[in-house]
Structure formats: C-alpha cells, structure tokens
Amino acid sequence: MMPNAKVLEEKKAVVASLVEKIKNSPAGVLVDYKGINVEDDTKLRKQLREAGVEYAVIKNTLIRFAAKELGFDWDETLHGTTALAISTTDDVVAPAKILADFAKTHENFNLKAGYLEGKVIGEDEVKKLAAMPSKEVLIAQVLYSFNFPIMQLAIACDAIVKKAEGNEEMKVAELVAPKEAAAEEAAE
C-alpha cells in the first residue's frame, strides 16, 4: 500500500528540514539509543539543550534520504534505533562529548557516526572529537599562553623591586644588568 500524498509531503518536509539543519550546523552525531529509560533520556536531552545541541529520534529511512541529498554515506550505520544530535552553535565538540560521556555509563547507548564541517566521520573520529577540550577550555588555554610571558615579566620585575628595597645602596646598573655590575665589582 502506497502512502497517501499528505503523508508523503510531510516526510519530504521532514527530510528537507533535516537537510537544512545539518547544512547549517558545524557538527552532529548519530547514536543508537536503545535501552535508555525515560529519566535518563530526560536528563540527557536537558544537558544537550543547555549546550546548544538539538537532539531527536528520527527514522532511519528519513535520515537516509537526507544523507543521500547531502552526499553523506551513512548506509552502514542506519540500522536499529537512531537519534541525531545536531550542534546549533559553533561548538563542534559538544554533541560528541555529551553523548560519548553518556555512552560510558549506559551500555546499550552507542555512538554510530557523525559529521564535522560537512564531512562524514566514523565512530572513532566521533570519540576523538569527544576527547577534545571544550571551546571554553581551549580559549582559556590560549589566553593563558598569551598571559604567561607577561606574568613572568611581572614576577621578575617584582623580585627586582623587592631586592632593591632590601638593599638601599644597590646601584642602578645592578637592576638593569646584574651580571655586568657583579663583573665591575669583581674588577675593582
């Protein structure tokens, strides 16, 4: 029996919407969600939502149509129960990190595959992505690396000032070039 025209149009609309969401998203992850209870699912969805990740259970046939239109080869992964998590922000790590952490504590919940910047990635690459620090941590690390030399200079300057305060007779040359001043004293 063929689906009626209304159902067919609804399915086409779902596929078109899915294609647009994936095109406009930097990253997403497919998971096999079987064996998850309602309470855990609710907690997971809340955590994903707070991270700017849209999460939905979608029929494999609809994902297959969207994947075909996008040029994604997900045929090997589209079996069993499938949910798709799509990042709605520029954070490419969030979907993978949250779902991988969840999979660690739920044995029937498994990562399948995903996409990153318009290219299909396999389960192993999703796990590598999940292991990366979050965007906030990376920004903090970069800022720290910028500030570190300045901090070291401030510490060194502070030490010189404290040394000078402790020794009233200290010469200016000792502040600027302690080795040269020490060599001059030794020569005298």
Side-chain angles (χ1 to χ4, degrees), residues 32-135:
D32 182 349
Y33 68 90
K34 70 177 173 268
I36 178 174
N37 64 40
V38 174
E39 183 182 346
D40 288 345
D41 184 57
T42 303
K43 287 178 186 173
L44 174 64
R45 286 174 185 270
K46 182 179 187 284
Q47 189 178 5
L48 288 164
R49 199 172 32 256
E50 287 170 355
V53 178
E54 191 175 309
Y55 178 80
V57 173
I58 303 170
K59 289 186 176 189
N60 287 329
T61 52
L62 298 178
I63 295 174
R64 195 171 281 116
F65 283 125
K68 185 177 179 185
E69 196 171 319
L70 292 161
F72 288 2
D73 183 14
W74 278 338
D75 288 341
E76 294 290 316
T77 37
L78 294 175
H79 52 82
T81 56
T82 304
L84 176 62
I86 299 173
S87 180
T88 60
T89 67
D90 60 351
D91 188 351
V92 298
V93 177
K97 184 176 281 307
I98 293 168
L99 295 171
D101 286 348
F102 190 81
K104 288 176 188 172
T105 57
H106 297 81
E107 75 177 73
N108 291 327
F109 188 91
N110 299 302
L111 303 172
K112 288 184 172 187
Y115 65 92
L116 178 63
E117 302 297 339
K119 294 186 176 43
V120 171
I121 58 174
E123 179 186 353
D124 290 340
E125 288 138 321
V126 172
K127 287 179 180 175
K128 286 178 188 172
L129 190 61
M132 288 180 62
S134 70
K135 181 180 175 184

Side-chain angles (χ1 to χ4, degrees), residues 7 16 24 38 91 100 111 133 141 146 149 171 182 187-188:
V7 171
N24 294 323
V38 174
D91 188 351
L111 303 172
Q141 289 173 345
F146 287 154
K171 297 177 189 165
E188 290 176 4

